[in-house]
Amino acid sequence: KAGVTQTPRYLIKTRGQQVTLSCSPISGHRSVSWYQQTPGQGLQFLFEYFSETQRNKGNFPGRFSGRQFSNSRSEMNVSTLELGDSALYLCASSLGQQGWKNTIYFGEGSWLTVV
Amino acid sequence: AQKITQTQPGMFVQEKEAVTLDCTYDTSDQSYGLFWYKQPSSGEMIFLIYQGSYDEQNATEGRYSLNFQKARKSANLVISASQLGDSAMYFCAMREGDPITGANSKLTFGKGITLSVRP
C-alpha cells in the first residue's frame, strides 16, 4: 500500500514568488491535513480538507491556501513568499470519518527555502 | 497555553537498553487521542503508536509501548531494546475535536525530544 506522497521534496523560491505543493494521500483516505514545521515554532497546523471541503483551519495568514480534488489529492499554495515561510511542509492523511481514532499518516514533507 | 509538554531536550540510551520519553498533556475534553511519531533527519513523520482516552489498556506496537496515566495526564513512550536506527526526534501529539464526525480535528504537537542511541 503506497504511503502519503508529497512533491516536490525540495525547492528554493525567491521572496515575493508563490509556490504550490502537492500531496497524494493513502488510497481510500479522504482527509488531508497540512502542517508547517520550523525550528522556532515547531509543528503548526495549517488546514484540513475532507471531501473537497476545508473542515478546519489553523492560525495562518490568507497567503496560505489549499484545496482538495475529487480524488482526495490536495495542494497547498503560498503566495507572496516571505523569508519566514522557509520550512518543512508536511501533509497528513487519514480516513477522516467516524471519529478521529483513525491513524494519521504523514508524508516525507516538502522542504521549502525562501531566499 | 501549551497543550503538549515534552521537557526532555535530549536523551541518550545504550543500544539494546530501554528508554522512556515523557509527554504530558492538557485538555478539558473527555475524548481525545494521543499519538507518538518519530522523525528522522530525512523529515518524514513516522507513526509509532496511538492511545485513545477511553482505551482501558496501554497501547503496544512491537518494541513501542505507551505508559498512559490518564489522571496525571501523561502518555510516556517506552522503547524497548533500543536500536541504532531509533536515533531521531520523537514527537508526542494530541488530537481533539468531534469524535463522531471527525470534524474540527487537528494534531497539536509537543516540541519533540531528540533520542540518540549509542553503540
Side-chain angles (χ1 to χ4, degrees), chain A residues 33-102:
Chain A
S33 299
W34 289 89
Y35 292 80
Q36 182 197 63
Q37 185 177 20
T38 59
Q41 299 298 317
L43 282 144
Q44 293 184 287
F45 172 79
L46 280 156
F47 29 65
E48 181 207 6
Y49 286 86
F50 178 79
S51 292
E52 302 179 65
T53 301
Q54 189 180 83
R55 191 160 70 169
N56 198 7
K57 188 176 185 304
N59 190 25
F60 277 81
R63 298 186 298 107
F64 292 82
S65 63
R67 60 178 176 169
Q68 187 179 34
F69 302 95
S70 58
N71 62 357
S72 293
R73 190 177 70 85
S74 175
E75 290 181 346
M76 69 161 281
N77 183 277
V78 187
S79 63
T80 319
L81 283 166
E82 301 176 359
L83 295 179
D85 297 333
S86 295
L88 174 64
Y89 290 88
L90 288 159
C91 170
S93 84
S94 70
L95 287 171
Q97 56 189 354
Q98 290 190 338
W100 34 249
K101 288 189 177 183
N102 303 309

Side-chain angles (χ1 to χ4, degrees), chain A residues 9-10 35 37 40 43 45 48 55-56 88 90 94 96-108 111, chain B residues 31-33 35 37 39 42-45 47 50 91 95 97-107 109:
Chain A
R9 282 278 284 144
Y10 305 92
Y35 292 80
Q37 185 177 20
L43 282 144
F45 172 79
E48 181 207 6
R55 191 160 70 169
N56 198 7
L88 174 64
L90 288 159
S94 70
Q97 56 189 354
Q98 290 190 338
W100 34 249
K101 288 189 177 183
N102 303 309
T103 302
I104 302 170
Y105 296 95
F106 283 81
E108 292 183 306
W111 293 89
Chain B
S31 298
Y32 51 89
F35 297 76
Y37 289 90
Q39 187 178 43
S42 62
E44 182 182 8
M45 197 71 78
F47 167 76
Y50 167 85
F91 289 93
R95 186 173 189 179
D98 188 330
I100 303 301
T101 66
N104 295 322
S105 62
K106 66 175 184 177
L107 286 175
F109 285 86

Side-chain angles (χ1 to χ4, degrees), chain B residues 53-115:
Chain B
S53 59
Y54 287 116
D55 294 341
E56 294 186 352
Q57 291 192 329
N58 287 342
T60 59
E61 290 280 355
R63 295 188 299 111
Y64 305 106
S65 61
L66 205 151
N67 184 0
F68 181 49
Q69 298 186 47
K70 192 171 180 178
R72 299 178 64 179
K73 293 188 176 179
S74 74
N76 299 337
L77 176 70
V78 180
I79 305 175
S80 63
S82 297
Q83 301 171 355
L84 296 178
D86 293 336
S87 294
M89 281 282 286
Y90 288 80
F91 289 93
C92 177
M94 178 169 63
R95 186 173 189 179
E96 301 165 288
D98 188 330
I100 303 301
T101 66
N104 295 322
S105 62
K106 66 175 184 177
L107 286 175
T108 301
F109 285 86
K111 292 191 179 300
I113 303 167
T114 302
L115 175 66

